[in-house]
Amino acid sequence: MGHTNPDIDAIGSALGIYRIAKTLEKEAKIVANVETPSIKDLYESIKDQYQEVFISSETALAQVDSGTLIIVVDTHKKSYVEVPELLEKTEKVVIIDHHRRSTDFIDDAMLTFHEVYASSAAELVTEIIEYSEVDVKLTELEAEALYAGIMTET
């Protein structure tokens, strides 16, 4: 999941992480409010292909358990994630973010990739894909979403 009112950096990053998980043959979902103005047009163009991938807050809360890994992209703030309650339902949290560290940092994450020099979370996810030991094959749409995330944040 990304932050509330997700933008293309949050969604592009989430799509990149989704593809990594699927490459590793893991179940993956993206928790996002797809009705926000900044991504509504993007979602309309991809919803047929990714309709089962995007889930609501309610669905996520019903499905998560202590064994669930939650990857937070494009924010590190507890109060700014799409569904803060998800952070309380598991101890397995990863953060991928490029914003300056705030006092509301998710401090109990098992892994943090937090680089303020990066242009975007999408850049960091692209870097993970580039240096991955597995061959991650992005769809054209996923690659474009990552690129758009990088471009809009710079």
Side-chain angles (χ1 to χ4, degrees), residues 46-83:
I46 68 170
K47 71 179 179 184
D48 292 337
Q49 187 178 356
Y50 290 89
Q51 192 168 24
E52 299 298 317
V53 174
F54 288 90
I55 60 173
S56 68
S57 304
E58 295 79 20
T59 302
L61 285 166
Q63 291 180 355
V64 72
D65 60 32
S66 62
T68 302
L69 172 64
I70 297 176
I71 302 176
V72 176
V73 294
D74 200 29
T75 187
H76 61 269
K77 298 178 183 181
K78 292 177 190 175
S79 61
Y80 194 44
V81 296
E82 185 74 41
V83 188

Side-chain angles (χ1 to χ4, degrees), residues 69-112:
L69 172 64
I70 297 176
I71 302 176
V72 176
V73 294
D74 200 29
T75 187
H76 61 269
K77 298 178 183 181
K78 292 177 190 175
S79 61
Y80 194 44
V81 296
E82 185 74 41
V83 188
E85 298 85 4
L86 286 176
L87 300 175
E88 299 167 13
K89 292 190 132 202
T90 184
E91 293 181 12
K92 298 178 179 181
V93 177
V94 170
I95 301 167
I96 302 171
D97 191 25
H98 68 110
H99 297 98
R100 289 181 199 232
R101 188 175 175 140
S102 77
T103 57
D104 193 23
F105 196 84
I106 301 168
D107 53 9
D108 54 349
M110 61 188 290
L111 176 67
T112 300

